[in-house]
């Protein structure tokens, strides 16, 4: 199966793409009304969902060039509704609106596709509100739910969907994308792909943005900085600061771009008086950006912790002489230092400390306190 | 793209199209108004994913093309232009608008990101706009507003030859309206379920003759189109099975009451002032008299007597006051006829005159009674 058209960006998922493409092609029994796409973060769940939606809307089955494909991928197609959230959960109010959308017939006459990108964030009530609509949608409506793992959605939702599992794309596949699409040289691409552990978006940022690389290096410098209590506390503070800076750097760019495009659409800034409703729309956007900032700080800190776990994984690999590829090739000397200075038991205890910090953050612990507790545990 | 158009023509068409643009667009391009200049003239289109509006006006087209500009801004500008011909042309990423000595330059939005506009289904028939708007308004009061049951938020349109039937229900009441029209083909039959709010808003804004288009065939499937004097609106349909409402309408009733509509409506409104939330207004019909009561002895209560003709047994029945007022308000006749079987079975409200009658099936409004305890 050659990857062409809209499927090009669904990296390293040949078997999943096969299933989806045959559904689009209309092979008997291949299509169904509800899909659940699962896969680890960064494996491209929402990319796959959008590609599938585009292919369903495209007369040529996902050519990637026509107007339908373009508007689906750009998020403006009339028959593709995408529910994603920047908050921590999706409530019953948003889902009620989806239930109504699901009952409408498609404007373009092909399919009405509803993509729920963060189905794992549905509250139980919200998921229950969807049950009926997912079980028996009108003939032209298709649901595509995305979640990290099949266990993340209610069993009652799960049983109503056909499941598609995405694997973590291989390092080689990620590196190939970076080379092909972003024009990276092979070495940078490989290092970034390794460091991102199969998270395509993250790999791209690491490859393209030297600042992101240096901030990541900052995070990974932490294991060598923890000594006495004072240094632990300082290291924790630096980690939080690094994450904040990282998140702010991305947010600044996207926030400004969003504001500009909304302003242009509402006709502000071309000399006329502000049209009615414009101030409210802008305020709403600002509010959304603020809640997104909260969430992305949480996500950013989580990513940093995952990087730390990967570092100790490398340390463990060296200590046990397993000979597998290091995730952090660029930090190999540091890995060596830590490996010789400690024992596998200590490393395992440290990994546990980092994972405990992740759990604590999930239950809304104050980030600085949780990270301080972790750095003290890393001594 | 380059064309010249009359100021009034443009302003009116832009105002009408901009009216249907979403106030809070989910994506920025939807706040845009699409200008299309081709050999047929100038077309202005707006879309909010559910309803599309398109107005066509005649213009002197010097060069064909398309452009997407902010709809609200364009509407505001057009409103305030002097009464002179308007020249509009596209220049790179700007649209220039010149009217007399006034010049405007507007930013364009990316036209390639704009969603494909739904195609207009083929024409099914026509009906005068005022008849249509009135019929839709009479039925729309009974449509549900609860999004958890989407099919009940729609108005069912059934076409059978030269008869059109509109029906809506929210499980507590049902309104059915029939009218005749000029179908495109004799003996055609079709049905559709249109979102009630959309249909009511659109029907109100139309003038002259309304052409109704229901989808048939592959293109424009699942759509309804309404056209009047160069302005067309399409709306997506609701899918699902509408309740089989015809079997709900009782074929015969045991007693009939005739009451003057306006005094009845006012009396219900007065009496219901003391009806607490979710408590009914009680109606007792006896020969020559109707007594309305609401409230209870422990709290505030009210009663009022009206003249009424009763044909059949005496009956006491209770209704949700809001639903009863909606039903009476939808009538356009001097008198109303209520048909009952028992106090626990639905009653039917039909328009009538002082002389009686009212067996017609033009408009029927079925109301579920509230069961009286004790």
């Amino acid at each position: 199966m050659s990857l062409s058209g809209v499927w090009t960006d669904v990296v390293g998922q040949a078997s999943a793409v096969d299933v989806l493409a045959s559904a689009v092609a209309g092979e008997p029994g291949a299509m169904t009304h509800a899909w659940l796409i699962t896969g680890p973060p960064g494996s491209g769940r929402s990319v796959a969902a959008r590609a599938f939606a585009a292919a369903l809307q495209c007369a040529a089955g996902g050519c990637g060039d026509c107007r339908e494909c373009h508007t689906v991928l750009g998020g403006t197609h009339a028959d593709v509704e995408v529910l994603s959230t920047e908050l921590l959960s999706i409530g019953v109010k948003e889902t009620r609106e989806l239930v109504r959308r699901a009952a409408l017939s498609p404007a373009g006459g092909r399919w009405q596709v509803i993509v729920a990108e963060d189905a794992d964030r549905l509250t139980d009530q919200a998921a229950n509100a969807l049950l009926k609509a997912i079980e028996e949608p009108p003939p032209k409506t298709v649901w595509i739910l995305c979640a990290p793992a099949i266990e993340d959605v209610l069993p009652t939702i799960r049983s109503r969907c056909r499941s598609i599992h995405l694997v973590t794309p291989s390092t080689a596949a990620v590196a190939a994308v970076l080379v092909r699409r972003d024009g990276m040289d092979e070495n940078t691409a490989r290092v970034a792909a390794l460091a991102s552990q199969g998270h395509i978006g993250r790999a791209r940022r690491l490859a393209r943005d030297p600042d992101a690389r240096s901030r990541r290096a900052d995070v990974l410098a932490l294991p060598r900085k923890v000594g006495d209590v004072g240094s632990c506390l300082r290291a924790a503070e630096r980690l939080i600061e690094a994450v904040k800076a990282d998140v702010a750097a991305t947010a600044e760019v996207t926030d400004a771009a969003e504001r500009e495009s909304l302003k242009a659409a509402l006709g502000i800034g071309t000399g006329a008086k502000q049209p009615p409703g414009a101030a409210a729309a802008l305020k709403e956007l600002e509010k959304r950006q603020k809640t997104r900032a909260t969430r992305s700080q949480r996500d950013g800190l989580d990513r940093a912790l995952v990087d730390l776990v990967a570092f100790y994984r490398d340390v463990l690999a060296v200590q046990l002489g397993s000979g597998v590829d290091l995730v952090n090739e660029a930090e190999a000397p540091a890995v060596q230092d830590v490996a010789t200075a400690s024992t596998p038991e200590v490393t395992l205890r440290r990994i546990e400390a980092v994972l405990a910090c992740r759990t604590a953050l999930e239950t809304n612990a104050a980030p600085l306190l949780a990270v301080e507790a972790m750095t003290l545990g890393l001594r | 793209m380059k064309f010249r158009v009359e100021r009034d023509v443009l302003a009116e068409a832009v105002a009408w199209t901009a009216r249907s643009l979403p106030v809070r667009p989910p994506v920025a391009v939807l706040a845009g108004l699409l200008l299309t200049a081709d050999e047929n003239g100038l077309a202005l289109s707006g879309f909010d994913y559910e309803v599309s509006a398109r107005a066509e006006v005649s213009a002197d087209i010097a060069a064909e093309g398309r452009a997407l500009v902010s709809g609200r801004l364009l509407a505001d500008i057009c409103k305030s232009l002097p009464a002179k011909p308007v020249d509009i042309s596209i220049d790179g990423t700007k649209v220039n608008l010149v009217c007399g000595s006034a010049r405007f330059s507007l930013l364009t939005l990316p036209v390639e990101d704009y969603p494909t506009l739904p195609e207009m289904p083929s024409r099914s028939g026509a009906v005068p706009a005022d008849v249509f708007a009135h019929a839709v308004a009479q039925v729309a009061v009974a449509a549900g507003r609860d999004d958890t049951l989407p099919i009940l938020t729609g108005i069912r349109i059934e076409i059978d030859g030269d008869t059109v039937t509109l029906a809506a229900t929210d499980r507590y009441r049902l309104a059915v309206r029939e009218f005749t029209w000029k179908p495109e083909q004799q003996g055609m039959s079709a049905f559709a379920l249109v979102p009630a709010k959309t249909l009511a808003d659109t029907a109100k804004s139309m003038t002259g003759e309304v052409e109704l288009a229901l989808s048939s065939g592959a293109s424009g499937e699942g759509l309804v189109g309404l056209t009047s004097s160069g302005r067309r609106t399409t709306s997506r349909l609701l899918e699902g099975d509408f309740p089989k409402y015809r079997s709900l309408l009782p074929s015969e009733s045991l007693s009939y009451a005739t009451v003057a509509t306006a005094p009845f409506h006012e009396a219900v409104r007065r009496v219901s002032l003391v009806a607490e939330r979710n408590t009914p207004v009680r109606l007792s019909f006896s020969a020559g008299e109707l007594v309305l009561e609401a409230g209870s002895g422990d709290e505030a209560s009210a009663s009022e007597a009206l003249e009424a003709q009763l044909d059949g047994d005496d009956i006491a029945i209770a209704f949700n006051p809001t639903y009863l007022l909606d039903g009476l308000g939808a009538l356009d006749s001097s008198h109303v006829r209520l048909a009952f079987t028992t106090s626990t079975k639905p009653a039917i409200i039909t328009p009538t005159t002082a002389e009686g009658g009212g067996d017609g099936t033009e408009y029927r409004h079925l109301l579920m009674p509230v069961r009286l305890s004790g």
Side-chain angles (χ1 to χ4, degrees):
Chain A
M1 158 97 216
S2 70
L3 288 176
S4 61
V6 292
W7 303 113
T8 325
D9 288 347
V10 188
V11 177
Q13 310 291 353
S15 69
V17 168
D18 257 351
V19 176
L20 294 177
S22 64
V24 172
E27 284 169 25
M31 188 60 196
T32 187
H33 59 266
W35 299 81
L36 176 61
I37 300 181
T38 55
S43 57
R45 293 185 303 258
S46 49
V47 175
R50 276 169 204 254
F52 184 35
L56 285 174
Q57 300 296 354
C58 171
C63 63
D65 300 318
C66 68
R67 190 183 174 83
E68 308 296 326
C69 287
H70 178 83
T71 48
V72 173
L73 299 178
T76 60
H77 196 283
D79 291 333
V80 179
E81 170 89 6
V82 177
L83 172 76
S84 61
T85 189
E86 278 138 7
L87 303 175
L88 296 170
S89 64
I90 302 173
V92 81
K93 203 171 134 239
E94 290 96 322
T95 46
R96 286 264 158 79
E97 178 54 27
L98 279 194
V99 170
R100 197 188 112 76
R101 267 298 291 259
L104 290 174
S105 60
R110 292 183 70 84
W111 297 96
Q112 144 109 329
V113 184
I114 299 178
V115 180
E117 279 189 353
D118 304 294
D120 53 314
R121 290 183 190 266
L122 288 169
T123 62
D124 284 2
Q125 292 94 318
N128 284 329
L130 287 182
L131 285 180
K132 174 84 175 71
I134 292 186
E135 182 168 31
E136 277 186 293
K140 292 280 188 178
T141 297
V142 181
W143 289 86
I144 307 176
L145 310 180
C146 305
I150 199 161
E151 289 78 19
D152 288 329
V153 295
L154 288 183
T156 39
I157 294 266
R158 227 186 282 165
S159 66
R160 286 161 163 82
C161 301
R162 187 173 299 174
S163 170
I164 295 277
H165 188 69
L166 302 183
V167 294
T168 306
S170 67
T171 310
V174 175
V177 170
L178 294 181
V179 171
R180 174 173 55 76
R181 201 166 45 182
D182 301 296
M184 292 292 149
D185 67 81
E186 292 202 10
N187 196 38
T188 318
R190 208 179 70 86
V191 171
L194 267 176
S196 71
Q197 301 173 73
H199 191 305
I200 299 163
R202 176 107 174 104
R204 178 174 302 143
R205 265 198 75 204
L206 287 175
R208 293 208 327 204
D209 182 358
D211 288 348
R213 280 203 296 276
S214 77
R215 280 191 293 262
R216 183 167 186 278
D218 268 1
V219 170
L220 295 181
L222 187 136
R224 284 194 294 172
K225 288 204 195 115
V226 287
D228 54 47
V229 174
S231 67
C232 284
L233 297 185
R234 270 196 302 282
E237 201 180 335
R238 278 206 61 177
L239 178 67
I240 301 265
E241 290 302 321
V243 167
K244 269 194 186 147
D246 196 29
V247 167
T250 10
E252 212 171 296
V253 182
T254 46
D255 285 4
E258 277 177 2
R259 204 163 44 241
E260 282 317 307
S261 77
L262 182 67
K263 272 188 174 176
L266 292 168
I268 305 173
T270 33
K273 68 173 171 31
Q274 198 149 308
L282 276 178
K283 202 168 259 173
E284 201 165 284
L285 177 72
E286 238 163 61
K287 206 172 129 201
R288 213 162 58 218
Q289 289 173 339
K290 211 175 245 171
T291 50
R292 182 172 61 197
T294 318
R295 158 122 178 245
S296 39
Q297 277 194 13
R298 236 168 131 147
D299 292 356
L301 190 53
D302 194 60
R303 209 156 49 222
L305 295 180
V306 173
D307 284 343
L308 270 181
V309 174
F311 181 87
Y312 285 115
R313 170 249 184 222
D314 284 353
V315 171
L316 196 61
V318 170
Q319 283 170 335
L320 300 174
S322 70
V324 293
D325 273 352
L326 291 191
V327 170
N328 301 291
E329 217 161 71
E331 271 77 28
V335 170
Q336 280 295 348
D337 287 355
V338 178
T340 42
S342 64
T343 62
E345 289 78 14
V346 175
T347 310
L348 281 173
R349 188 175 53 76
R350 286 172 174 163
I351 291 178
E352 286 302 324
V354 182
L355 294 179
C357 176
R358 284 187 76 194
T359 319
L361 287 174
E362 250 167 56
T363 51
N364 269 332
L368 186 58
L369 289 179
V371 173
E372 279 174 1
M374 175 191 81
T375 49
L376 289 171
L378 291 182
R379 280 185 294 167
Chain B
M1 187 185 73
K2 189 171 165 57
F3 58 86
R4 164 173 285 210
V5 60
E6 286 305 316
R7 183 257 175 202
D8 288 351
V9 172
L10 179 71
E12 210 184 319
V14 168
W16 181 80
T17 318
R19 198 183 48 102
S20 65
L21 294 177
V23 183
R24 294 199 182 155
V27 288
V29 288
L30 285 193
L33 199 113
L34 185 67
L35 306 171
T36 313
D38 57 22
E39 69 265 29
N40 300 324
L42 171 67
L44 302 145
S45 326
F47 191 28
D48 72 352
Y49 283 159
E50 197 174 315
V51 179
S52 81
R54 179 183 162 100
E56 283 172 9
V57 295
S58 60
D60 290 337
I61 310 291
E64 298 184 2
R66 307 196 315 153
L68 188 64
V69 294
S70 168
R72 302 211 171 273
L73 184 58
L74 186 65
D76 285 351
I77 289 175
C78 289
K79 248 190 293 186
S80 58
L81 288 176
K84 298 220 171 79
V86 185
D87 286 298
I88 294 180
S89 61
I90 191 163
D91 174 21
T93 60
K94 295 268 167 97
V95 163
N96 294 321
L97 185 152
V98 181
C99 176
S101 55
R103 306 178 67 88
F104 291 91
S105 170
L106 304 179
L107 274 182
T108 57
L109 302 169
V111 103
E112 64 278 6
D113 287 350
Y114 199 70
T116 318
L117 289 166
E119 277 175 54
M120 187 76 180
S122 55
R123 194 182 123 100
S124 312
V127 59
D130 51 341
V131 173
F132 185 64
H134 181 58
V136 169
Q138 282 190 308
V139 172
V141 289
R145 287 169 189 84
D146 179 5
D147 280 345
T148 48
L149 283 167
I151 54 163
L152 295 186
T153 61
I155 292 181
R156 165 109 165 164
I157 302 180
E158 282 175 26
I159 297 169
D160 183 16
D162 58 3
T163 312
V164 179
T165 311
L166 305 180
T169 178
D170 66 356
R171 289 178 294 177
Y172 307 106
R173 55 221 167 129
L174 162 72
V176 183
R177 173 74 151 87
E178 286 177 7
F179 59 89
T180 54
W181 75 330
K182 298 192 288 282
E184 192 74 354
Q185 298 161 336
Q186 282 306 319
M188 70 170 293
S189 90
F191 56 86
L193 189 61
V194 188
K197 197 175 165 309
T198 310
L199 190 62
D201 288 350
T202 312
K204 253 189 287 185
S205 75
M206 307 210 121
T207 51
E209 184 120 298
V210 177
E211 284 175 18
L212 196 65
L214 286 182
S215 53
S216 55
S219 80
E221 196 182 346
L223 291 174
V224 63
L226 296 156
T227 314
S228 82
S229 40
R231 289 170 185 186
R232 49 173 246 204
T233 305
T234 66
S235 167
R236 292 162 74 168
L237 301 178
L238 288 161
E239 297 210 15
D241 292 327
F242 195 71
K244 295 196 173 36
Y245 64 92
R246 285 182 199 277
S247 62
L248 299 174
L249 296 164
S251 50
E252 57 181 26
S253 302
L254 297 176
S255 48
Y256 299 93
T258 307
V259 192
T261 314
F264 189 17
H265 192 267
E266 280 165 29
V268 174
R269 201 162 48 199
R270 268 195 295 275
V271 168
S272 65
L273 288 174
V274 298
E276 298 247 345
R277 245 171 73 85
N278 297 330
T279 61
V281 49
R282 302 182 291 279
L283 313 180
S284 318
F285 292 89
S286 54
E289 196 185 47
L290 157 63
V291 178
L292 298 93
E293 289 170 295
S296 66
D298 303 341
E299 313 260 338
S301 63
S303 71
E304 184 162 350
L306 286 178
E307 197 182 308
Q309 283 172 28
L310 182 69
D311 180 7
D313 301 335
D314 288 5
I315 187 162
I317 194 165
F319 294 109
N320 175 322
T322 318
Y323 294 171
L324 182 57
L325 285 172
D326 282 348
L328 294 174
L331 297 178
D332 51 1
S333 60
S334 66
H335 286 67
V336 49
R337 189 173 86 150
L338 298 104
F340 311 103
T341 11
T342 67
S343 63
T344 53
K345 294 264 173 64
I348 298 190
I349 300 174
T350 45
T352 184
T353 57
E355 288 78 47
D359 290 323
T361 54
E362 191 184 67
Y363 182 65
R364 284 170 292 178
H365 194 109
L366 182 144
L367 264 185
M368 278 307 288
V370 178
R371 207 179 280 265
L372 282 173
S373 54

